[in-house]
Amino acid sequence: MTILVPPGTPTDTAQETKLRQQLAEARAHQAATSEILRIITRLPTTDLQAVLDAIAAQAARLCHARLAAVSRVEKGGLRLAAHHGALPVSRAGEAGAMARTPVDRTSVNGRAVVDRRTLHIHDLAAESEDEFPTAKALQKRDGTRTILVVPLLHDDSALGTISVRRQRVRPFTTPEIALLETFADQAVVAIEHTRLFQELEDRTAALERSNAELEQFAYVASHDLQEPLRTVSSYVQLLAERYASRIDARADRYIGHSVSAVERMYTLINDLLAYSRVGTRGRDLVPTKTANVLDHVLEGLATTIRETAAEITWDPLPTVRADATQLGQLLQNLLGNALKYRGERPPRIHIGVQRQGGHWQFAVRDNGIGIDPAYAERIFLVFQRLHTQDEYSGTGIGLAICEKIVERHGGQLWVESQVGQGATFFFTLPTLGDDDG
Ligand SMILES: Nc1ncnc2c1ncn2[C@@H]1O[C@H](COP(=O)(O)OP(=O)(O)OP(=O)(O)O)[C@@H](O)[C@H]1O
Ligand SMILES: [Mg+2]
């Protein structure tokens, strides 16, 4: 007889001993499920196999079964993933007759997957050959009589099965069936958790690979371009020195254009090289006093500050976890921009700092020409500028380098601005821990 198990209620009995037994059994079931949950919470440090092994062992023990098995649906069919107890010997003689079962209704495991329902066969001997050809063969070989199969349900599909079998005709009780269904749920959680974790790992690895490749490409391209460029540059210089005002005015113009194009190419290549080096040449992140870094940066900008009558102020600056050279590059680029993209009035620049949980949020605010919010993202891309060389000089690498530096420090960089209203560049950097200031 084949019975599809309805959701049941525990068997009712008046006898106290029986109640006590039931209580002990419930406790044992609870202990087993929480033990498996404990193993699941150790994923992914512990592997999926450990979880499935534990489930098979507990299922065999608590369902008083000779064999408990967990199978998973794979390309070739249902494959045994974990078991506890002796496996039946297949016709071919090797252990594991269930090693690959087709996912169709001819086997008990296959049927549980196809129907996505629990299958309880009280006595296999009473079943017909037509109904379960594989299970019948099994019964003849190893004497299996009672089988309980629960599908591992996830969304609209079954990922596999968990089954227990006995050699005596003794149907499984309602609490045993409920327990096996709980184990099935736990196996699904473990399988899905592992799959998602693996997917995340794969994607991260792919992303890291493509980033490294890009960096390598930028480095090789810029590095190897320098050599031929140097040659071109030398000859153009020679031309300029030897033949200036000797041919005609047009030749002078051509030579002049060549010289400035070569210079510009130098700048572009060096900028690209600097960009590719943020990731490859970075130093360790160590406690760094922002105030000291800023001092150096201001020294470098002293002439511009004087010439533009700029006033730069700042909040008390914290010690952060950073690569000092890169933090300097970051401040230098942001302050350099704030000075460069000034309006009619002398620049007024303020560096604000706020602690927000595990990071410091810096805000470099200026009173310059501002940026149309439509370009708030584009300006961070390599060689993207909003102005011509004649209006403002530059190659458009500054903010791309800034973004890469901040990302390398585990932070974020963004801008808030309106045209004519000045701009505020925000970036975050990690704090040292709880005790820093
Ligand atoms: N503080 C600012 N105020 C207004 N516009 C800005 C500001 N900072 C950046 N921008 C705009 O963003 C663009 C990109 O800036 P970025 O620093 O990347 O390049 P750049 O200054 O043009 O050249 P580089 O920094 O490579 O010399 C600039 O061309 C400018 O249009
Ligand atoms: Mg710049």
Side-chain angles (χ1 to χ4, degrees), residues 333 337 340-341 398-399:
N333 274 318
N337 280 348
K340 188 179 4 175
Y341 301 105
L399 288 176

Side-chain angles (χ1 to χ4, degrees), residues 338 341-343 345 348 364-373 415-425:
Y341 301 105
R342 63 182 176 272
R345 298 164 295 164
R348 292 283 172 272
V364 180
R365 191 177 68 232
D366 66 46
N367 61 341
I369 58 170
I371 301 161
D372 183 338
V415 68
E416 283 176 16
S417 181
Q418 293 292 337
V419 174
Q421 308 274 309
T424 307
F425 282 84

